[in-house]
């Protein structure tokens, strides 16, 4: 589809007026082989108009609330052999049967699965960091699948949707920093557990800070409690082997940690689609903390969606 003389692939972003939709549209504008098909603002909730547009495109991106995303999939699938392929950025289908999880770096076969898929569920921003850290260690046998894992994370407020953005930018009523999801039932936990390869539900504690975008996801570990009593270099090596040769995920070696001064800025990767992974440790105390850094609107949302779109369209 990307070759010379071939028609551009047409993509419809259902929900393009939201934060993620706008970010995806901006990125797709830089893709010469893609044409974004838009719907008139007054027709955004018109099922007939949306269905007509779905029938006329190659792929639909859903940037909708969960319930609306489920309805949109039913609408599109009702077209039968004219149905477009779908990337769903909501939470609705991330652990659903028949959907491929849109994290190409998950394992050696995931990118091919996405290329062939009709339905792809875009990952959550927090799980992207957690899964990236945990999955390679479970596969390598360093971290038992039933190990009690805690995942802590902080995100910019843009990840909380329109109401949270307005609380920070318009009403100015939001606190500078807060923990949330303290009922320990955050909607990202099911995908975090499944695609990390864990069999024991992890404890996940998210938080939000007074900055628009940027994210840090961390996993603390007592190394003496792990089989074989690994050292930090073993963990770093397992991560490096898993992501070897990949362009968007980088394992930052311990040799570069000194320049950080024992600190890590959540905003450094803003505006990019990169994901950085770190293994910080204290050899004397036999403790480590694994950290993923990303832009929650980049590799954590829109950047991931465009990566999946490119795979699905053969670009």
């Amino acid at each position: 589809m990307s070759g010379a003389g071939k028609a551009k692939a047409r993509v419809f972003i259902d929900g393009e007026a939201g934060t993620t939709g706008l970010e995806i549209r901006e990125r797709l504008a830089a893709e010469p082989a893609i044409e974004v098909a838009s719907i008139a603002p007054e027709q955004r909730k018109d099922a007939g108009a949306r269905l007509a547009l779905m029938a006329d495109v190659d792929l639909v991106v859903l940037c909708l609330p969960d319930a609306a995303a489920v309805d949109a999939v039913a609408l599109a699938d009702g077209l039968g052999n004219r149905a477009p392929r779908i990337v769903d950025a909501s939470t609705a289908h991330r652990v659903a049967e028949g959907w491929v999880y849109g994290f190409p770096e998950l394992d050696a076969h995931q990118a091919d699965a996405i290329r062939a898929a009709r339905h792809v569920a875009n990952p959550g921003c927090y799980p992207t960091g957690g899964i990236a850290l945990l999955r390679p260690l479970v596969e390598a046998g360093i971290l038992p699948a039933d190990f009690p894992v805690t995942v802590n994370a902080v995100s910019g407020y843009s990840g909380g949707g329109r109401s949270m953005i307005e609380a920070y930018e318009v009403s100015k009523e939001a606190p500078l920093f807060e923990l949330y999801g303290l009922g320990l039932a955050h909607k990202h936990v099911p995908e975090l557990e499944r695609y990390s390869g864990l069999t024991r539900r992890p404890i996940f504690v998210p938080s939000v800070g007074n900055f628009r975008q940027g994210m840090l996801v961390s996993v603390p570990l007592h190394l003496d409690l792990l089989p074989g009593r690994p050292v930090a270099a073993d963990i770093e090596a397992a991560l490096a082997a898993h992501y070897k040769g990949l362009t968007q995920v980088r394992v930052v070696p311990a040799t570069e940690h000194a320049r950080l001064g024992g600190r890590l800025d959540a905003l450094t990767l803003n505006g990019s689609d990169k994901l950085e992974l770190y293994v910080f440790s204290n050899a004397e105390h036999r403790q480590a903390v694994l950290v993923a850094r990303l832009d929650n609107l980049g590799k954590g949302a829109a950047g991931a969606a465009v990566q999946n779109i490119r795979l699905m369209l053969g670009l």
Side-chain angles (χ1 to χ4, degrees), residues 137-294:
L137 305 187
V138 174
E139 288 188 346
I142 292 174
L143 187 76
D146 63 351
F147 195 78
V149 170
T150 297
V151 179
N152 304 295
V154 60
S155 173
Y157 58 76
S158 58
R162 181 172 299 173
S163 61
M164 183 175 285
I165 292 172
E166 290 179 352
Y168 277 95
E169 295 185 348
V170 181
S171 67
K172 309 292 186 180
E173 295 176 349
L176 294 180
F177 179 87
E178 65 178 340
L179 298 177
Y180 66 100
L182 293 176
L184 303 183
H186 193 281
K187 64 181 182 178
H188 285 174
V189 173
E191 64 179 294
L192 176 59
E193 179 179 358
R194 173 179 292 189
Y195 298 109
S196 291
L198 299 173
T199 57
R200 182 190 298 270
R201 181 181 175 90
I203 294 175
F204 172 52
V205 184
S207 60
V208 61
N210 188 21
F211 50 95
R212 179 172 176 82
Q213 62 199 89
M215 175 170 284
L216 296 173
V217 180
S218 60
V219 179
L221 293 173
H222 289 275
L223 299 179
D224 285 345
L225 298 181
L226 297 175
R229 295 169 53 88
V231 296
D234 298 325
I235 295 174
E236 182 183 304
L239 293 173
H242 185 95
Y243 298 109
K244 183 179 180 179
L246 300 181
T247 58
Q248 290 183 243
V249 182
R250 179 177 182 244
V251 180
V252 180
T255 53
E256 296 184 25
H257 291 184
R259 64 180 173 79
L260 300 171
R263 302 173 181 230
L264 204 59
D265 184 352
L267 281 62
T268 299
L269 294 181
N270 284 2
S272 85
D273 297 334
K274 301 293 185 180
L275 171 63
E276 291 180 344
L277 306 179
Y278 296 81
V279 180
F280 298 102
S281 67
N282 184 298
E284 178 184 355
H285 300 304
R286 296 284 296 147
Q287 294 175 329
V289 60
L290 319 181
V291 183
R293 175 162 64 180
L294 64 156

Side-chain angles (χ1 to χ4, degrees), residues 38-193:
S38 291
I39 194 167
E42 65 274 12
Q43 293 183 317
R44 285 175 183 160
K45 295 186 178 180
D46 183 328
R50 289 165 61 221
L51 184 63
L53 192 50
M54 288 176 176
D56 193 43
V57 299
D58 300 287
L59 186 146
V60 173
V61 186
L62 303 179
C63 298
L64 303 168
D66 286 7
V70 171
D71 291 342
V73 172
L75 190 68
D77 286 353
L79 291 167
N81 58 12
R82 296 170 61 206
R85 300 170 81 180
I86 296 175
V87 173
D88 182 12
S90 82
T91 314
H93 298 103
R94 290 179 186 160
V95 294
E97 292 300 320
W99 286 75
V100 172
Y101 194 60
F103 186 35
E105 298 87 359
L106 185 69
D107 59 34
H109 310 290
Q110 197 68 11
D112 287 337
I114 293 167
R115 288 187 184 96
R118 300 295 305 174
H119 292 164
V120 170
N122 216 49
C125 51
Y126 290 126
T128 294
I131 292 165
L133 293 168
L134 295 167
R135 174 72 174 238
L137 305 187
V138 174
E139 288 188 346
I142 292 174
L143 187 76
D146 63 351
F147 195 78
V149 170
T150 297
V151 179
N152 304 295
V154 60
S155 173
Y157 58 76
S158 58
R162 181 172 299 173
S163 61
M164 183 175 285
I165 292 172
E166 290 179 352
Y168 277 95
E169 295 185 348
V170 181
S171 67
K172 309 292 186 180
E173 295 176 349
L176 294 180
F177 179 87
E178 65 178 340
L179 298 177
Y180 66 100
L182 293 176
L184 303 183
H186 193 281
K187 64 181 182 178
H188 285 174
V189 173
E191 64 179 294
L192 176 59
E193 179 179 358

Side-chain angles (χ1 to χ4, degrees), residues 1-8:
M1 198 169 288
S2 59
K6 292 187 178 181
K8 290 185 176 183

